[in-house]
């Protein structure tokens, strides 16, 4: 039998054969504490009973389990020899009856990679914390099961744990006789079951709702984190957003929350942002802020809370049949996160963040060689793991935003309501959603679905303006283009805005028209006769998914007046368009950096400002001509310091500029100022240098050799926490020393001793764009190691290594050689796992795009 992978064909064959009636899972995690004896992994006992039916008695199938050992297997009362039926990832099931009971007693391993049952020891107090993370297919690391989303079943969990611990699962739990027993769940997929256990700090609240028919709904709420983070835990705000979200979704979905309680756990060393386990949502603990952060961070957390909450309906109640239709949950949840944030919370500008940040993720992903339709072709679990990407999330959400403009919000939401009621606790495909949308909108959805869901690539829309002799608009045309590799021209419902500079110096819209852009050339007749514009903004109000281009007049206006645009969404769309032009080698990187230096200081939206900082840094590192990098770095550092000193004392803008100054710092004077801010000999009025900001200041000092190991050890002593340890590891690996780089490489590539969080921190420190000569020797080592790492390590660690250690920062003049080395590896490894090849191809494409940008920037200089 194959190894840990599972193909779509195998899953379909098994789903046609089996139906699951229920699981009983018993875990004993008392072994999580205390000393570990033996050389093998630390393990726990897992006993699983599965009741299931077989449509063809006498047939053969298999159950999934990844475990160091299996003690016993029983099928329908018949003991099976584990050595004969278990191959390390599957349990062979022969001669099945019409009704079956499988019992598996195994020793499963605690995880150090965030996959399965993760065990974390808090360095601050020695406490042990456990949580599970499964998507797409890691529940089999904790209990035996049928690991595919369309074999849903009710689950009953029981967990024996240390006496002083509390245990949570999807259902409500009680402790008796040393064992926690949990209420049976509704039918759910294996990947959204969950167990959280340990001495967590736990806060409770209650949500109450009375519906129009008089029925009452009461949902127990809980929120938890490690004890060490309790002083920073603002549970009241988490509960506020949670209640606002539940109100919003009840108002719009007309289907009461179906999973009883609603716990939310903020857990350590988490690989994802969050996971929608029904009744037991898990989040990365970085959403608990140890220091001052901007409102963009709070908005991001609220968006994630609402995203996961939307999954209770889109994904948990109604689940995709196979990972091909992952978008049926992720695109909807991504859209609903912003939709609910604007509609229910204090974050009324969430669509600006969506346009500026989420869609940037989508635009990048949609231009990679690995781009795919929103409805993807997922052949197996490795494909599924990599498809949690910008297409499935952000492009899909953008497409849904376009769908709302196409069919109308009322028809869209009524379609969702019918979808939930028709398919509750079941599994669906694309056609199931389209059918309800056709019912509610009266439109034929097949052509729309073909263009937007079943083809890949992003279109660009460019305005062309012809003026009449009187200076007014004679004809305004929108030109639509597509990449040669993905030539689909789509129907776009767009708004076109005309802007001009007012007497007061602001740049404001004075005319707007909506139009259906279809085909290569569309004339917008509604704007004929308008005054001549100084800026034409195609896709004003961000109704569609496209790359915005500018005519020459508009681009000249933006160079002079971008900061004068009064509408924050329009301003964000212009910034996004200019960044896409930089990435496409249509705008020199130095020009983009100049625009940031001239206009970013006036940006009112803090999320947009922080995105501009990230883009400016990327423009310098990846797209600026190597000969200009030093000059550009100096300009960015000077500009950041100037804005830091000019910002309102104590404001979030001041904090954002302080962090960006640390990133941009490039000379001795900059480093001396960072040191002075750390030791308190210099202050910026209103700037509080808290512990998180201290680590932000120390990072560049370590990378430039100004802060040595002793300084970092002193800082860890000051912040001897899990967070502090991750920061210290990152800073240690950032130091400019060949020995440091060799040690970091060995710790990650040649050893599996580090946890997932410390692997991530080490890689982040290792890969410093200012240390290109130090990194050069690792290009050859990288290509020699990645296939072995992929085969030996978990897929999460494999992804981290393959993406994080790719030689993305070649020395000046060596970019072409790095591309050639990448191509040589790809040619010699055509039979490598497709997921591994995809990661290498994506990294190659990013490098090639950067080199094209560098050539364009050099020519412009």
């Amino acid at each position: 039998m194959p190894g840990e992978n599972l193909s779509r064909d195998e899953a379909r064959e098994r789903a046609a054969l089996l139906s699951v009636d229920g699981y009983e899972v018993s875990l004993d995690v008392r072994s999580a504490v205390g000393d570990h004896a033996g050389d093998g992994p630390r393990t726990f006992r897992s006993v699983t009973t599965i009741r299931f039916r077989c449509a063809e008695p006498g047939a053969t199938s298999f159950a999934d389990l990844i475990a160091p050992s299996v003690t016993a297997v029983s099928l329908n009362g018949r003991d099976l020899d584990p050595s004969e039926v278990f191959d390390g990832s599957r349990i062979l099931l022969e001669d099945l009856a019409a009704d079956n009971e499988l019992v598996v007693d195994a020793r499963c391993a605690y995880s150090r990679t965030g996959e399965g049952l993760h065990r974390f020891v808090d360095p601050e107090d020695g406490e042990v914390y456990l949580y599970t993370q499964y998507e797409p297919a890691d529940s089999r690391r904790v209990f035996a099961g049928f690991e595919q989303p369309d074999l849903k079943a009710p689950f009953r969990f029981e967990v024996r744990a240390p006496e002083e611990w509390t245990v949570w699962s999807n259902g409500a739990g009680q402790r008796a006789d040393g064992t926690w027993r949990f209420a049976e769940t509704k039918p759910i997929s294996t990947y959204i079951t969950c167990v959280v256990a340990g001495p967590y700090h736990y806060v409770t609240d209650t949500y109450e709702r009375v519906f129009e028919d008089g029925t009452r709904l009461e949902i127990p709420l809980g929120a938890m984190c490690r004890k060490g983070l309790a002083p920073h835990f603002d549970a009241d705000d988490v509960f506020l957003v949670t209640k606002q979200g539940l109100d919003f979704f009840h108002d719009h979905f007309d289907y009461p929350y179906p999973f009883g309680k609603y716990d939310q756990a903020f857990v350590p060393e988490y690989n994802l942002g969050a996971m929608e386990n029904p009744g037991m949502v898990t989040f990365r603990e970085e959403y608990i802020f140890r220091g001052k952060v901007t409102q963009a961070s709070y908005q991001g957390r609220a968006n994630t809370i609402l995203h996961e909450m939307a999954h209770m309906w889109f994904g948990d109640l109604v689940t995709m049949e196979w990972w091909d239709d992952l978008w049926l949950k992720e695109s909807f949840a991504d859209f609903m996160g912003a939709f609910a944030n604007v509609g229910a919370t204090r974050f009324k500008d969430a669509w600006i963040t969506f346009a500026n940040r989420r869609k940037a993720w989508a635009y990048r992903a949609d231009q990679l060689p690995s781009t795919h339709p929103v409805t993807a072709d997922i052949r197996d679990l490795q494909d599924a793991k990599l498809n949690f990407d910008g297409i499935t999330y952000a492009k899909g959400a953008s497409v849904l935003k376009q769908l709302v403009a196409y069919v109308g919000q009322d028809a869209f939401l009524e379609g969702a309501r019918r979808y939930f009621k028709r398919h509750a606790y079941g599994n669906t495909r694309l056609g199931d959603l389209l059918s309800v949308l056709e019912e509610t909108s009266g439109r034929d959805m097949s052509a729309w679905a073909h263009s937007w869901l079943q083809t890949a690539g992003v279109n660009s829309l460019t305005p062309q303006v012809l003026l009449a002799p009187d200076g007014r608009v004679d004809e305004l045309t929108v030109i639509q283009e597509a990449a040669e590799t993905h030539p689909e021209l789509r129907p776009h419902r767009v708004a076109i805005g005309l802007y001009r500079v007012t007497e007061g110096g602001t740049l404001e819209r004075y005319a707007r028209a909506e139009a259906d852009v279809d085909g290569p050339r569309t004339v917008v007749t509604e704007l004929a006769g308008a005054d001549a514009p100084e800026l034409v903004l195609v896709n004003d109000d961000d109704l569609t998914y496209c790359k915005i281009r500018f005519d020459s007049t508009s681009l000249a206006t933006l160079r002079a007046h971008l900061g004068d645009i009064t509408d924050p969404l329009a301003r964000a769309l212009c910034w996004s368009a200019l960044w896409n032009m930089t990435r496409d080698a249509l705008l020199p990187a130095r020009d983009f950096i100049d625009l940031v230096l001239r206009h970013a200081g006036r940006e009112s939206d803090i999320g947009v400002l922080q995105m501009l900082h990230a883009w400016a840094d990327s423009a310098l590192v990846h797209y600026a001509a190597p000969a200009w990098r030093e000059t550009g770095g100096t300009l960015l550092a000077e500009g950041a310091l100037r804005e830091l000193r000019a910002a309102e004392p104590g404001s979030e803008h001041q904090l954002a500029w302080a962090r960006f100054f640390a990133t941009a710092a490039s000379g001795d004077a900059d480093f001396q100022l960072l040191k002075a801010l750390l030791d308190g000999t210099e202050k910026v009025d209103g700037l509080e240098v808290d512990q998180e900001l201290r680590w932000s200041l120390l990072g560049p000092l370590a990378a430039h050799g100004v802060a040595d190991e002793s300084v970092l050890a002193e800082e860890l002593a000051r912040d001897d926490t899990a967070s502090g340890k991750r920061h210290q590891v990152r800073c240690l690996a950032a130091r400019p020393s060949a020995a440091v780089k060799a040690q970091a490489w060995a710790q990650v590539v040649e050893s599996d001793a580090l946890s997932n969080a410390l692997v991530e921190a080490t890689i982040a420190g290792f890969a410093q764009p200012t240390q290109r000569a130090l990194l050069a020797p690792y290009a050859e080592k990288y290509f020699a190691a990645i296939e072995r790492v992929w085969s030996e390590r978990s897929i999460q660690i494999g992804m981290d290594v393959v993406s994080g250690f790719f030689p993305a920062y070649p020395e000046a003049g060596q970019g072409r050689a790095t591309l050639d080395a990448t191509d040589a590896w790809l040619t010699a490894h055509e039979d490598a796992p497709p997921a591994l090849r995809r990661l290498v191809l994506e990294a190659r494409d990013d490098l090639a795009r950067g080199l094209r940008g560098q050539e364009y920037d050099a020519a412009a200089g």
Side-chain angles (χ1 to χ4, degrees), residues 621-853:
V621 168
H622 296 291
Y623 299 100
W628 188 79
R629 278 195 201 117
E630 184 176 352
T631 298
T634 300
L635 291 172
L636 276 180
E638 290 174 350
L641 182 57
R642 183 171 59 251
E643 296 294 347
L644 167 61
R645 296 196 184 282
E648 180 184 347
S651 68
E652 59 184 358
H653 282 65
Q654 183 189 56
L655 176 62
W657 283 110
R659 291 184 179 278
F660 184 53
F661 171 65
T663 299
S666 60
D668 288 343
D670 297 337
F671 302 139
Q672 290 305 313
L673 176 56
L674 294 180
K675 288 179 64 178
L677 289 171
L678 280 167
D679 63 26
T681 57
E682 182 156 347
K683 297 183 182 298
V684 175
D685 184 26
L687 181 67
E688 178 186 354
V689 183
D690 59 29
Q691 186 59 63
E692 285 297 296
L693 184 54
R694 289 183 64 83
W695 284 115
S696 295
L697 303 181
L698 273 168
L701 293 177
H704 288 86
V706 181
D708 61 17
E709 186 174 3
S710 64
V711 172
L712 299 176
E714 290 176 8
E715 196 65 29
L716 180 63
R718 178 190 184 107
D719 182 26
D720 192 10
T721 64
S723 300
K725 181 63 177 177
R726 289 194 297 272
H727 286 306
Q728 186 219 20
V729 166
R730 172 178 53 81
C731 291
L732 285 171
R735 291 171 296 156
S737 156
V740 165
K741 300 305 175 187
Q743 182 183 40
W745 174 272
Q747 287 175 333
V748 173
V749 177
E750 308 301 337
S751 168
D752 63 358
L754 295 180
S755 70
N756 56 319
L758 296 185
V759 165
E760 180 182 348
T762 303
I763 293 174
F766 177 92
Q768 295 295 317
T770 57
Q771 299 171 357
R772 295 171 189 257
L774 278 174
L775 299 178
Y778 291 91
E780 183 177 351
K781 295 179 181 180
Y782 170 87
F783 291 113
I786 54 175
E787 192 168 30
R788 172 182 59 81
V789 169
W790 191 265
S791 67
E792 294 177 354
R793 309 288 281 277
S794 76
I795 189 170
Q796 181 63 51
I797 299 300
M799 290 167 61
D800 290 343
V801 169
V802 174
S803 296
F805 278 130
F806 180 83
Y809 306 123
E811 293 184 271
Q814 295 302 306
R816 182 68 253 178
T818 305
L819 289 181
D820 290 343
T822 309
D823 291 339
W825 185 91
L826 289 165
T827 300
H829 295 82
E830 292 184 354
D831 58 346
L836 170 58
R837 286 180 56 84
R838 170 177 169 169
L839 291 171
V840 175
L841 279 164
E842 289 178 347
R844 184 207 183 278
D845 191 76
D846 281 338
L847 176 58
R849 179 179 288 272
L851 293 175
R852 291 193 296 271

Side-chain angles (χ1 to χ4, degrees), residues 179-208:
T179 300
W180 289 85
R181 293 180 175 85
F182 297 91
E184 185 176 73
T185 70
K186 300 288 189 180
I188 57 176
S189 303
T190 53
Y191 76 91
I192 50 176
T193 59
C194 185
V195 171
V196 175
Y200 285 89
H201 169 73
Y202 185 56
V203 186
T204 62
D205 203 337
T206 303
Y207 170 83
E208 296 180 352

Side-chain angles (χ1 to χ4, degrees), residues 363-364 366-369 458 547 549 579-585 622-623 819 842-856:
Y363 293 140
R364 173 188 174 270
D366 214 5
Q367 296 174 88
L368 290 169
V458 56
K547 289 195 293 187
R549 302 300 197 205
W579 175 239
N580 278 322
M581 291 174 64
T582 305
R583 294 187 71 248
D584 291 344
H622 296 291
Y623 299 100
L819 289 181
E842 289 178 347
R844 184 207 183 278
D845 191 76
D846 281 338
L847 176 58
R849 179 179 288 272
L851 293 175
R852 291 193 296 271
Q854 291 172 28
E855 292 174 0
Y856 187 74

Side-chain angles (χ1 to χ4, degrees), residues 201 212 347 365 380 401 421 540 561 570 595 652 703 732 753 786:
H201 169 73
E212 290 183 359
F347 303 109
D380 55 31
K401 195 166 186 279
K421 292 171 183 175
D540 208 353
H561 296 287
L595 283 162
E652 59 184 358
L732 285 171
I786 54 175

